[in-house]
Amino acid sequence: MLEIRHLKTLHALRETDSLVEAAERLHLTQSALSHQFKELEERLGLQLFIRKTRPVRFTSAGLRLLQLADSLLPQLRSAERDLARLAGGTAGRLHMAIECHSCFQWLMPTIDQFRDAWPEVELDLASGFSFAPLPALARGDLDLVVTSDPVELPGITYVPLFTYEALLSVANQHPLASRSYVRPEDLASETLITYPVERDRLDIFTRFLEPADIEPAQVRTSELTVMMMQLVASGRGVCCVPNWALHEYSTRGYVTARRLGEKGLFATLFAGIRADMLDSPFMRDFLLTAKDTSFATLEGVSAAPKSR
């Protein structure tokens, strides 16, 4: 009567708090997911959650199945790892670099879990800010690169991890704090604080300001998000950061977050991987762990489109 997919869909619904986002995460249509829930409820003769509620309200039956999911799904992942070891592929190398200043919030817990699960794999992490990591990936010096700027390279596959919204952080007293969204021309008189990377890798320039032929009054850089937030809060400028990085500061009332453009500015974070590494058991497990950790720890991320 019960199948693993049922537990996974219930778990995804609890994590996303939305049928639409749960369907995206599981790479299903909303109609297919709704049909799956309806079919299961008809089999059980019980309702699992209350429709059209936010947050989603689970019934006693739904909560009981979530207890089972919390117990069984980690055991299933552990068993899959053990089977992968029995089939070979337990040892290897996973050298990675990141092109994202805000990624440590979810990447470090991912690495900790991975080390525990795959102690035989040689793991190394480098910052990709002082060198070009994607060419190093293509040469074989690296095995994985976390990037939001995929470049087509022979033998490299980009696996989407999650989609996020880039938001503008402004001081609470700033005139833009009263706007529902920010227009490119609003930044013409502002000091824009960015991470110290080339401007052609910053969406705030390439996808927001430059198409409108707008240049900020001044640009200054900072390597640390916390320093950027301090500068913003003290009225020294504005900055564009991922919604998950801004969440802890905006929810505490330290700064104000505003959408860039009426429809928002969205981007996807990818794991760039060499094709010869893509099917290794420990690489597949690292990607699953990274996705699970990011969805569990980051506010405002959603499932990304399928691999490119």
Side-chain angles (χ1 to χ4, degrees), residues 27 106 110 159-161 286-296:
H27 298 299
W106 61 269
T110 298
V159 178
L161 298 173
F286 181 85
L287 293 174
L288 287 172
T289 302
K291 290 181 180 181
D292 287 348
T293 303
S294 59
F295 287 132

Side-chain angles (χ1 to χ4, degrees), residues 158-176:
Y158 293 96
V159 178
L161 298 173
F162 55 82
T163 294
Y164 62 92
E165 182 176 5
L167 297 172
L168 192 74
S169 172
V170 302
N172 295 330
Q173 302 80 18
H174 197 289
L176 291 178

Side-chain angles (χ1 to χ4, degrees), residues 24-152:
E24 289 177 352
R25 183 179 300 188
L26 297 166
H27 298 299
L28 298 171
T29 64
Q30 184 180 352
S31 175
L33 185 61
S34 297
H35 179 75
Q36 187 180 126
F37 279 127
K38 183 179 179 181
E39 180 187 37
L40 178 59
E41 287 177 330
E42 288 177 351
R43 286 193 203 177
L44 298 172
L46 293 165
Q47 188 174 5
L48 298 177
F49 63 95
I50 310 300
R51 266 63 171 178
K52 297 181 180 179
T53 59
R54 196 72 180 265
V56 175
R57 289 171 49 204
F58 291 93
T59 64
S60 297
L63 291 172
R64 179 62 186 89
L65 289 184
L66 283 170
Q67 288 180 342
L68 178 61
D70 289 338
S71 172
L72 187 58
L73 292 181
Q75 293 183 55
L76 179 64
R77 284 286 298 278
S78 178
E80 289 172 342
R81 289 171 181 145
D82 290 342
L83 291 172
R85 289 189 180 92
L86 291 172
T90 62
R93 187 194 81 165
L94 180 51
H95 288 187
M96 69 184 79
I98 58 173
E99 289 188 327
C100 169
H101 283 74
S102 307
C103 286
F104 288 100
Q105 185 174 343
W106 61 269
L107 187 58
M108 298 315 293
T110 298
I111 289 175
D112 288 343
Q113 290 185 46
F114 182 81
R115 280 200 183 101
D116 292 340
W118 299 90
E120 305 92 344
V121 175
E122 177 191 336
L123 186 64
D124 191 30
L125 173 64
S127 167
F129 309 130
S130 58
F131 68 102
L134 289 177
L137 178 66
R139 291 194 304 267
D141 299 335
L142 295 171
D143 306 304
L144 183 150
V145 173
V146 178
T147 180
S148 58
D149 302 299
V151 176
E152 296 297 332

